[in-house]
Amino acid sequence: LSFDVPEFLERLIEEHRLPPHLLEVEITETAYAQDERVMESFARRLREMGVTVLMDDFGTGRSSLSMLSDVSVDVIKLDRQFLPDADASRAQTGRDVSLMASVVDLDHALDLPLIVEGVETQAQAQLVLDMGARYAQGFHCYRPMPPQEFERILSDAALVDLTGLLAPSKRKQR
């Protein structure tokens, strides 16, 4: 909030001739809840530029169904708190599974892509798939790595979808 982030990003996009749809900006649910009007304006400006906007850590703050129906984002990122811990230190409850399944169903109904955060094991990945979620983020996918290894992965077209979650042809105005 201390400077005009959309304007700054717009200058960088122009200066480096970046396709805007390859840039993804995450705004936490807590930031939305703290000042929904400012964050909504911020998100709308980014989306008008062609930047993909994600709501990060969904489910950790003061989210409400009305927020989801009004928010101008392209993707929801469900916080890891709904997954059982990879080391089983926190038992998965029936409520966790029900809440996660409900959010997945709601996202399908709203036609919003959903990314489940914190997927570290095959069992967690299978749970995400079984619930109908298509995207996951976490150490099960990749662990932190040296830049050279990351560059090698990026150069392999079979491993990377450069169209992004929302290719320009798939983008809808929300």
Side-chain angles (χ1 to χ4, degrees):
L1 297 176
S2 62
F3 69 100
D4 192 331
V5 175
E7 181 181 302
F8 174 75
L9 291 175
E10 188 170 36
R11 282 196 318 265
L12 287 176
I13 287 168
E14 289 173 11
E15 179 182 333
H16 297 283
R17 296 184 191 110
L18 298 171
H21 75 277
L22 293 180
L23 183 62
E24 297 180 352
V25 174
E26 297 183 11
I27 303 171
T28 64
E29 175 196 320
T30 302
Y32 261 102
Q34 287 176 347
D35 197 336
E36 193 170 338
R37 183 184 57 77
V38 169
M39 290 297 112
E40 188 60 27
S41 171
F42 176 88
R44 188 170 287 112
R45 287 175 59 201
L46 289 171
R47 292 183 78 238
E48 287 170 357
M49 291 166 33
V51 172
T52 301
V53 178
L54 299 87
M55 180 181 284
D56 192 25
D57 298 333
F58 184 77
T60 61
R62 296 173 281 173
S63 59
S64 71
L65 295 179
S66 66
M67 176 191 284
L68 262 187
S69 68
D70 296 335
V71 75
S72 179
V73 298
D74 300 297
V75 179
I76 300 292
K77 292 182 70 179
L78 182 63
D79 190 76
R80 66 165 288 119
Q81 74 179 353
F82 298 102
L83 281 174
D85 281 350
D87 63 5
S89 64
R90 183 177 79 79
Q92 180 181 8
T93 68
R95 280 188 169 180
D96 291 334
V97 173
S98 295
L99 281 170
M100 188 172 153
S102 295
V103 172
V104 171
D105 289 344
L106 183 60
D107 254 27
H108 285 250
L110 295 174
D111 195 27
L112 275 172
L114 174 75
I115 299 171
V116 179
E117 297 178 315
V119 176
E120 297 180 6
T121 67
Q122 179 58 41
Q124 290 173 324
Q126 191 60 54
L127 176 66
V128 167
L129 285 171
D130 290 347
M131 289 188 179
R134 183 169 176 203
Y135 302 102
Q137 174 184 333
F139 290 155
H140 181 66
C141 304
Y142 287 103
R143 293 200 170 269
M145 65 187 71
Q148 299 81 4
E149 188 176 340
F150 183 65
E151 290 168 356
R152 183 189 56 74
I153 291 169
L154 285 179
S155 68
D156 186 343
L159 296 175
V160 179
D161 176 8
L162 291 178
T163 63
L165 227 52
L166 292 175
S169 61
K170 299 177 192 173
R171 182 180 293 273
K172 295 179 184 177
Q173 288 301 329
R174 297 192 198 286

